[in-house]
């Protein structure tokens, strides 16, 4: 019979098997955070250039170039998100 105590003990024993490698984690987490900051700054730049273009302070060519760059960044983020969701769904389909 499975009790809550037995389940908790089994979980505690198995936790080390699925725990991330702490030696490699800081570098990968830092790179992920850096990528998120780069994306946020790209979107902030688009907002600033768009506002400047509406007030006549920025050239139309600069606006189009910035929008094209932001579109590429957005497509990259969406592609990464799709891959993460696909991997998660694949994990969910694995037999236990």
């Amino acid at each position: 019979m499975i009790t809550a105590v037995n389940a908790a003990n089994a979980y505690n024993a198995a936790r080390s098997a699925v725990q991330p490698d702490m030696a490699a984690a800081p570098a990968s987490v830092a790179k992920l955070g850096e990528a998120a900051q780069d994306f946020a700054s790209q979107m902030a730049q688009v907002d600033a250039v768009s506002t400047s273009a509406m007030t006549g302070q920025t050239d139309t060519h600069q606006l189009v170039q910035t929008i094209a760059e932001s579109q590429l960044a957005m497509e990259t983020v969406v592609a990464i998100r799709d891959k993460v969701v696909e991997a998660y769904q694949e994990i969910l389909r694995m037999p236990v």
Side-chain angles (χ1 to χ4, degrees):
M1 182 169 163
I2 298 177
T3 64
V5 174
N6 289 342
N9 287 337
Y11 172 75
N12 193 30
R15 188 175 4 169
S16 62
V18 295
Q19 190 172 14
D21 182 15
M22 289 305 180
S28 61
V29 170
K31 286 183 181 181
L32 184 62
E34 187 178 309
Q37 287 177 347
D38 290 345
F39 178 72
S41 67
Q42 177 69 32
M43 293 299 118
Q45 181 183 6
V46 169
D47 289 341
V49 170
S50 298
T51 304
S52 297
M54 286 188 258
T55 59
Q57 298 173 352
T58 302
D59 184 27
T60 307
H61 181 268
Q62 179 67 28
L63 175 64
V64 171
Q65 181 179 0
T66 305
I67 289 173
E69 290 172 359
S70 67
Q71 181 180 5
L72 179 63
M74 182 64 75
E75 289 173 357
T76 303
V77 168
V78 169
I80 292 170
R81 183 216 48 194
D82 290 346
K83 288 292 185 180
V84 169
V85 169
E86 182 181 324
Y88 179 73
Q89 289 174 343
E90 188 66 30
I91 290 171
L92 289 178
R93 286 191 286 261
M94 287 182 179
V96 178

